[in-house]
Amino acid sequence: MKITLKDIARELEVSISTVSKALKNSEEISRDTKEKVQAFAKLYNYKPNNIAISLKNKRTKNIGVVIPDIVHHFFTTVIRGIEKYANARGYNVIVCLSEESFDKEVINMEMLANGSIDGFIMSLSSETQQKADYNHLKEVTEQGIPVVLFDRITNEIDCDKVIIDDELGAYMATKRLIDEGRKKIALITTDDYLSVSKARTMGYRKALIESGLGVDESRILKLSSMEMDEERIKDFFETQKVDAVLCVNEIFAVYSMRLAQEKGLKIPEDISFIGFTDGFLSKYAYPSLTVVAQHGEKMGEISAQMLIDKVEGEKEEEETFQTKTLEPTLVIRDSIFH
Amino acid sequence: MKITLKDIARELEVSISTVSKALKNSEEISRDTKEKVQAFAKLYNYKPNNIAISLKNKRTKNIGVVIPDIVHHFFTTVIRGIEKYANARGYNVIVCLSEESFDKEVINMEMLANGSIDGFIMSLSSETQQKADYNHLKEVTEQGIPVVLFDRITNEIDCDKVIIDDELGAYMATKRLIDEGRKKIALITTDDYLSVSKARTMGYRKALIESGLGVDESRILKLSSMEMDEERIKDFFETQKVDAVLCVNEIFAVYSMRLAQEKGLKIPEDISFIGFTDGFLSKYAYPSLTVVAQHGEKMGEISAQMLIDKVEGEKEEEETFQTKTLEPTLVIRDSIFH
DNA sequence: TTGTACGCGTTATCAC
DNA sequence: GTGATAACGCGTACAA
């Protein structure tokens, strides 16, 4: 089964420490013994036990990723970015899903905080942002466990952060729609307690105000969560006459496009659409959807890099936290004129 | 920072084992000491160190999930199923991506096999299935680490397996298209070395042969990987006149629908489509796509259950492996008549 | 009722 | 050149 130093030592009738050194090719050990030990180890496929090493080094080489959700394309790409980068530096990724629940987020973090991981990368659940209760994060950081927050962040916690400039993204998108000649631009978003939705709404407002169009509050639809509420979107389009729609994710956008098409509207002739998140849905929708790309994979990489740098960095140095803001990009497709 | 039994013992001037017992409410310890210790532990938020416990118990309570890819909806739902079930039983999930590469799969497994996890849940990379080299799996099982394979499996390895009946799924879908009156049914798939593609192709053939339509090989498009090859699909539709298409995933299907629509074809009047995987893409495509649902979340749950049962089971009992086959379901949407 | 000793697997220090 | 010992944090059988 699994062979240990002790086994090798017993078998070769040398001490455990000799074996340990021999396997590390230590100068102290005679060539003879080294060869013998190494051959034996290879034969029986000896590999040091990670757990024992973790205990000794107080380093697990695991990083905990706590996210609200995994089926949405954005989080999926972030994980991929984290995993790639972390793996390259010899770290494994433990994924925990809060499923937008505060309690699950807390439980998951407690579970991992007891030595299972060297640091956290996380995006807050909507319930957490709604309650604005961040004690579980405080506890963890006070224990000295490094944390990197991405996308759904809070200013209440001192730690590294990675976001995209959501306000700018929404601003760019709205501006583009205005430049195209759209006058009645709707926004489909979620409640403002979600940091990203709030920022995006601000960007939308800013663009409208700057252009002199002004904000018509009745054109803003606030859904209560990131999940689809088909009925409310349907109702919205029944009562509102708009010529462009900005949505805070791609699902809202693609579903809205469908409703428009079912009403006989032509996209983009009669109405145009822009969403957030550059996923399969946007790419393969018909017509394909113009989106604000969030660069999830890049965010994941950067988060992982910041975390690991902190984990491996000297604790001595002054604790200094930074927030990295990525530039969003507009990916132009057929749901608008171009 | 992090407090240990030793710290408490020193502070309270008792022995470590007394503290340990007191925290477990052992009968051996006086009420007095117990209260003192428990109060102190609570105050300083003592939590046992998972790593130390893992080393002692030779159980990590981690399970390793090695999959080819995470951005595709199917794998995403499987992870969710695994995570939910595993978490409920106190296990954490370490996710590793092979990215369809044999080497990465091997490296990932070796990384985890040295004590980091209690067992594996995995789906083979396409390269692994192509090379048909399963030595890394053999090594792991021979070490006594339980493995559950799902979806992309191999018969070369003795272990538990979870699949859906891919052949039946394709058969059902093809049958449905035939019953609808379709005569020229195309199949867009990938090379046969992928176990699932092979099975689906068989189901497709079976349905055609049974119905007396026969198989026209020129109507089968085999792409070299699960990744989109837009050019080849385009070429295929340039040269083939078909009235229905079965695709082994939803991306191929949705992209094909787009091509058809761009050529002015009406769906499902002129041509109908069925894909595999019941994801957002199928649901929100226009028209919405009929699919063979793979029940990924269920697969994940079952895989996790089988694995954990094996991990926690008595080693004594005769090693007995089972293969669970889930029934696929046809989710009827607007890309076919109904 | 409390404490000692040992073991999990490894590495590092120090003695021989 | 080799080996004994301690330590990482915990639990437990056994001794006091």
Side-chain angles (χ1 to χ4, degrees):
Chain A
M1 315 277 291
K2 212 55 192 150
I3 192 180
T4 71
L5 288 185
K6 198 197 249 179
D7 299 327
I8 304 183
R10 184 174 1 87
E11 223 54 43
L12 263 41
E13 299 185 305
V14 291
S15 77
I16 294 180
S17 37
T18 304
V19 177
S20 176
K21 285 172 189 163
L23 289 174
K24 302 197 120 58
N25 239 324
S26 161
E27 290 304 325
E28 300 178 35
I29 307 294
S30 72
R31 251 207 12 208
D32 225 43
T33 352
K34 279 200 281 197
E35 279 171 6
K36 220 169 43 182
V37 170
Q38 288 171 4
F40 190 92
K42 183 161 217 169
L43 180 61
Y44 287 96
N45 193 29
Y46 168 80
K47 293 280 168 49
N49 179 317
N50 288 334
I51 299 293
I53 292 178
S54 292
L55 182 59
K56 181 129 246 297
N57 297 346
K58 301 181 162 220
R59 286 277 169 79
T60 62
K61 289 243 165 193
N62 286 156
I63 78 189
V65 175
V66 183
I67 53 176
D69 184 0
I70 196 177
V71 299
H72 290 290
H73 190 266
F74 170 67
F75 286 118
T76 267
T77 54
V78 175
I79 293 188
R80 195 212 252 160
I82 294 174
E83 206 271 346
K84 263 190 195 167
Y85 186 88
N87 238 275
R89 287 186 66 171
Y91 283 73
N92 283 123
V93 174
I94 299 184
V95 173
C96 288
L97 307 178
S98 63
E99 297 179 59
E100 304 289 12
S101 144
F102 174 80
D103 290 340
K104 282 207 178 182
E105 191 173 289
V106 173
I107 291 173
N108 279 327
M109 290 193 69
E110 284 179 353
M111 205 163 160
L112 296 180
N114 303 318
S116 299
I117 50 99
D118 296 338
F120 283 104
I121 295 178
M122 57 184 303
S123 195
L124 300 168
S125 79
S126 63
E127 220 181 89
T128 305
Q129 291 207 319
Q130 189 170 13
K131 295 178 74 162
D133 180 346
Y134 307 110
N135 286 313
H136 50 309
L137 288 169
K138 284 220 179 72
E139 275 182 23
V140 159
T141 51
E142 278 166 11
Q143 271 179 43
I145 303 179
V147 172
V148 175
L149 283 176
F150 74 90
D151 198 54
R152 303 218 209 138
I153 66 170
T154 173
N155 292 326
E156 305 280 313
I157 299 291
D158 277 335
C159 66
D160 289 326
K161 288 156 199 165
V162 187
I163 50 174
I164 63 155
D165 192 334
D166 283 292
E167 181 175 338
L168 176 61
Y171 175 84
M172 284 161 50
T174 310
K175 197 91 188 347
R176 173 88 194 205
L177 293 170
I178 295 169
D179 292 348
E180 214 177 83
R182 305 297 175 175
K183 302 288 181 205
K184 293 181 287 186
I185 304 173
L187 172 68
I188 302 184
T189 181
T190 65
D191 277 333
D192 278 348
Y193 57 76
L194 269 192
S195 54
V196 292
S197 298
K198 188 172 178 186
R200 289 170 195 173
T201 303
M202 281 170 59
Y204 162 84
R205 287 176 184 279
K206 190 173 158 203
L208 287 176
I209 291 166
E210 265 188 31
S211 72
L213 280 175
V215 179
D216 179 341
E217 298 295 335
S218 72
R219 292 202 189 109
I220 300 180
L221 173 61
K222 278 191 194 172
L223 300 174
S224 58
S225 85
M226 279 312 231
E227 290 315 300
M228 272 299 287
D229 186 339
E230 305 193 351
E231 282 314 306
R232 289 201 55 202
I233 297 182
K234 232 176 222 167
D235 288 350
F236 180 76
F237 282 109
E238 294 298 328
T239 56
Q240 291 292 322
K241 293 279 163 277
V242 299
D243 57 13
V245 186
L246 175 64
C247 298
V248 295
N249 62 41
E250 56 178 1
I251 300 184
F252 291 173
V254 168
Y255 183 68
S256 302
M257 286 208 299
R258 155 119 54 107
L259 291 179
Q261 287 178 94
E262 284 174 356
K263 289 173 81 171
L265 295 176
K266 291 250 180 261
I267 304 170
E269 290 79 358
D270 302 323
I271 184 169
S272 39
F273 291 85
I274 300 185
F276 269 77
T277 303
D278 185 20
F280 291 120
L281 211 45
S282 314
K283 192 163 178 199
Y284 294 111
Y286 186 71
S288 57
L289 178 68
T290 293
V291 290
V292 180
Q294 298 176 87
H295 306 293
E297 189 156 343
K298 190 82 196 161
M299 267 175 100
E301 272 174 47
I302 294 179
S303 303
Q305 179 175 11
M306 289 173 93
L307 184 71
I308 296 177
D309 283 350
K310 188 131 288 178
V311 165
E312 297 187 347
E314 305 306 323
K315 292 283 177 189
E316 324 295 338
E317 65 197 49
E318 197 72 30
E319 275 283 45
T320 159
F321 300 113
Q322 47 179 327
T323 298
K324 279 231 169 119
T325 306
L326 306 190
E327 290 269 313
T329 316
L330 217 47
V331 179
I332 308 296
R333 299 210 185 87
D334 300 342
S335 63
I336 66 172
F337 284 115
H338 61 280
Chain B
M1 317 275 292
K2 211 52 194 155
I3 192 179
T4 71
L5 287 186
K6 197 199 248 180
D7 299 327
I8 304 183
R10 183 174 2 86
E11 222 55 43
L12 264 40
E13 299 185 305
V14 290
S15 80
I16 295 180
S17 55
T18 304
V19 177
S20 175
K21 288 172 189 163
L23 289 176
K24 301 199 119 58
N25 240 322
S26 161
E27 290 305 325
E28 301 178 31
I29 307 295
S30 71
R31 254 216 1 216
D32 225 44
T33 337
K34 280 201 281 198
E35 279 171 6
K36 219 169 45 181
V37 170
Q38 288 172 5
F40 191 91
K42 182 160 218 169
L43 180 61
Y44 287 97
N45 192 29
Y46 169 80
K47 295 278 168 51
N49 180 318
N50 288 334
I51 298 293
I53 291 177
S54 292
L55 184 58
K56 180 139 244 300
N57 298 345
K58 299 178 164 226
R59 285 276 169 80
T60 62
K61 290 244 166 191
N62 286 155
I63 77 189
V65 175
V66 183
I67 52 175
D69 183 2
I70 196 177
V71 300
H72 290 291
H73 190 265
F74 170 68
F75 286 118
T76 267
T77 53
V78 174
I79 293 189
R80 195 212 250 160
I82 294 174
E83 206 273 344
K84 263 191 197 168
Y85 185 88
N87 238 276
R89 288 185 67 171
Y91 283 74
N92 283 125
V93 174
I94 299 184
V95 173
C96 287
L97 307 179
S98 64
E99 298 179 58
E100 305 288 11
S101 144
F102 173 80
D103 291 340
K104 282 208 177 179
E105 190 174 288
V106 173
I107 291 173
N108 280 326
M109 290 193 69
E110 284 179 352
M111 204 163 160
L112 295 180
N114 303 318
S116 299
I117 50 99
D118 296 337
F120 283 105
I121 295 178
M122 57 183 304
S123 196
L124 301 168
S125 80
S126 62
E127 220 181 89
T128 305
Q129 291 206 318
Q130 189 169 13
K131 295 178 73 163
D133 181 346
Y134 308 110
N135 286 312
H136 50 309
L137 288 169
K138 285 220 179 73
E139 276 183 23
V140 158
T141 51
E142 278 165 11
Q143 270 179 42
I145 303 179
V147 172
V148 175
L149 283 177
F150 74 90
D151 198 54
R152 302 217 209 139
I153 66 170
T154 174
N155 291 325
E156 304 281 312
I157 299 292
D158 276 334
C159 66
D160 289 325
K161 287 155 198 166
V162 187
I163 50 174
I164 63 155
D165 192 333
D166 283 291
E167 181 175 339
L168 176 61
Y171 175 84
M172 285 161 48
T174 311
K175 198 90 188 348
R176 173 89 194 203
L177 293 170
I178 295 169
D179 292 347
E180 214 176 85
R182 305 296 176 175
K183 302 288 181 203
K184 293 180 288 186
I185 304 173
L187 171 68
I188 302 184
T189 181
T190 64
D191 277 334
D192 278 347
Y193 57 74
L194 269 192
S195 54
V196 291
S197 297
K198 189 173 178 186
R200 289 171 194 172
T201 303
M202 281 170 58
Y204 161 84
R205 287 176 185 278
K206 191 173 158 204
L208 287 176
I209 291 166
E210 264 188 31
S211 71
L213 280 175
V215 178
D216 180 341
E217 298 294 336
S218 71
R219 291 201 189 110
I220 300 180
L221 173 62
K222 278 191 194 172
L223 301 174
S224 59
S225 85
M226 279 312 229
E227 292 314 301
M228 271 299 287
D229 186 339
E230 305 193 351
E231 283 313 307
R232 288 201 56 202
I233 298 183
K234 232 177 223 166
D235 288 351
F236 180 76
F237 283 108
E238 294 297 329
T239 56
Q240 289 294 322
K241 294 279 163 276
V242 300
D243 56 14
V245 185
L246 174 65
C247 299
V248 294
N249 63 41
E250 55 178 1
I251 300 185
F252 291 173
V254 168
Y255 183 68
S256 301
M257 287 208 299
R258 156 115 58 104
L259 292 179
Q261 288 179 93
E262 285 174 356
K263 289 172 81 173
L265 296 176
K266 292 251 178 260
I267 304 170
E269 290 81 357
D270 302 324
I271 183 169
S272 39
F273 291 85
I274 300 185
F276 268 77
T277 304
D278 184 21
F280 291 120
L281 212 46
S282 314
K283 190 163 179 200
Y284 295 113
Y286 186 71
S288 57
L289 178 68
T290 293
V291 290
V292 179
Q294 297 176 87
H295 306 292
E297 190 156 342
K298 190 81 196 161
M299 266 175 102
E301 271 174 47
I302 294 179
S303 303
Q305 180 176 10
M306 288 172 94
L307 184 71
I308 296 177
D309 284 349
K310 189 129 288 177
V311 166
E312 297 187 347
E314 305 305 324
K315 292 282 177 189
E316 324 295 339
E317 65 198 48
E318 197 72 31
E319 277 282 46
T320 160
F321 301 114
Q322 48 178 327
T323 297
K324 280 231 169 118
T325 306
L326 306 189
E327 291 270 312
T329 316
L330 217 47
V331 179
I332 307 296
R333 298 210 185 87
D334 300 343
S335 63
I336 67 173
F337 285 115
H338 61 280

